[in-house]
Short mmCIF file of all heavy atoms in Angstrom, two decimals:
data_model
loop_
_atom_site.label_atom_id
_atom_site.label_comp_id
_atom_site.label_asym_id
_atom_site.label_seq_id
_atom_site.Cartn_x
_atom_site.Cartn_y
_atom_site.Cartn_z
N GLY A 340 124.45 139.69 109.94
CA GLY A 340 123.37 139.24 110.83
C GLY A 340 122.20 138.61 110.09
O GLY A 340 121.20 138.23 110.71
N THR A 341 122.29 138.47 108.78
CA THR A 341 121.16 137.90 108.02
C THR A 341 120.98 136.43 108.37
O THR A 341 121.95 135.69 108.51
CB THR A 341 121.44 138.02 106.50
OG1 THR A 341 121.74 139.36 106.22
CG2 THR A 341 120.26 137.56 105.68
N LYS A 342 119.71 136.06 108.51
CA LYS A 342 119.42 134.66 108.84
C LYS A 342 119.65 133.81 107.58
O LYS A 342 119.09 134.11 106.52
CB LYS A 342 117.96 134.55 109.28
CG LYS A 342 117.60 133.25 109.94
CD LYS A 342 116.24 133.37 110.63
CE LYS A 342 115.71 132.01 110.99
NZ LYS A 342 114.95 131.37 109.94
N PRO A 343 120.50 132.77 107.69
CA PRO A 343 120.71 131.95 106.48
C PRO A 343 119.42 131.26 106.06
O PRO A 343 118.62 130.88 106.91
CB PRO A 343 121.75 130.90 106.92
CG PRO A 343 122.24 131.35 108.26
CD PRO A 343 121.22 132.28 108.85
N ILE A 344 119.26 131.10 104.77
CA ILE A 344 118.04 130.42 104.30
C ILE A 344 118.15 128.92 104.54
O ILE A 344 119.26 128.38 104.63
CB ILE A 344 117.77 130.67 102.80
CG1 ILE A 344 118.99 130.26 101.97
CG2 ILE A 344 117.34 132.06 102.52
CD1 ILE A 344 118.63 129.88 100.58
N ALA A 345 117.00 128.26 104.58
CA ALA A 345 117.00 126.81 104.74
C ALA A 345 117.60 126.19 103.48
O ALA A 345 117.33 126.67 102.37
CB ALA A 345 115.58 126.32 104.95
N PRO A 346 118.42 125.14 103.64
CA PRO A 346 119.07 124.52 102.48
C PRO A 346 118.09 124.14 101.36
O PRO A 346 118.40 124.28 100.19
CB PRO A 346 119.71 123.27 103.06
CG PRO A 346 119.85 123.52 104.52
CD PRO A 346 118.78 124.50 104.90
N ASP A 347 116.91 123.66 101.77
CA ASP A 347 115.95 123.20 100.76
C ASP A 347 115.55 124.30 99.77
O ASP A 347 115.18 124.02 98.63
CB ASP A 347 114.65 122.71 101.43
CG ASP A 347 114.91 121.55 102.34
OD1 ASP A 347 115.89 120.83 102.10
OD2 ASP A 347 114.14 121.39 103.30
N TYR A 348 115.64 125.51 100.23
CA TYR A 348 115.18 126.63 99.41
C TYR A 348 115.96 126.71 98.10
O TYR A 348 115.38 126.89 97.02
CB TYR A 348 115.36 127.91 100.22
CG TYR A 348 114.39 129.00 99.88
CD1 TYR A 348 113.01 128.79 100.02
CD2 TYR A 348 114.84 130.23 99.45
CE1 TYR A 348 112.12 129.80 99.71
CE2 TYR A 348 113.95 131.24 99.14
CZ TYR A 348 112.60 131.02 99.27
OH TYR A 348 111.73 132.02 98.96
N ALA A 349 117.29 126.58 98.21
CA ALA A 349 118.12 126.66 97.00
C ALA A 349 117.85 125.46 96.09
O ALA A 349 117.89 125.57 94.86
CB ALA A 349 119.59 126.73 97.38
N LEU A 350 117.56 124.29 96.69
CA LEU A 350 117.28 123.11 95.87
C LEU A 350 115.94 123.25 95.15
O LEU A 350 115.79 122.85 93.99
CB LEU A 350 117.28 121.85 96.75
CG LEU A 350 118.64 121.46 97.32
CD1 LEU A 350 118.50 120.29 98.29
CD2 LEU A 350 119.62 121.10 96.22
N ARG A 351 114.96 123.85 95.85
CA ARG A 351 113.68 124.09 95.18
C ARG A 351 113.86 125.04 94.00
O ARG A 351 113.21 124.92 92.97
CB ARG A 351 112.66 124.68 96.16
CG ARG A 351 111.98 123.60 96.97
CD ARG A 351 111.02 124.19 97.96
NE ARG A 351 111.74 124.56 99.18
CZ ARG A 351 111.18 125.01 100.27
NH1 ARG A 351 109.88 125.19 100.33
NH2 ARG A 351 111.89 125.29 101.33
N ALA A 352 114.81 126.00 94.19
CA ALA A 352 115.09 126.95 93.09
C ALA A 352 115.70 126.21 91.90
O ALA A 352 115.39 126.51 90.74
CB ALA A 352 116.02 128.05 93.57
N ILE A 353 116.55 125.22 92.17
CA ILE A 353 117.13 124.43 91.07
C ILE A 353 116.01 123.67 90.35
O ILE A 353 115.91 123.67 89.12
CB ILE A 353 118.20 123.45 91.59
CG1 ILE A 353 119.44 124.22 92.08
CG2 ILE A 353 118.60 122.44 90.50
CD1 ILE A 353 120.56 123.35 92.61
#
Side-chain angles (χ1 to χ4, degrees):
T341 307
K342 193 167 166 272
I344 55 154
D347 299 333
Y348 209 60
L350 292 174
R351 276 178 275 185
I353 291 180

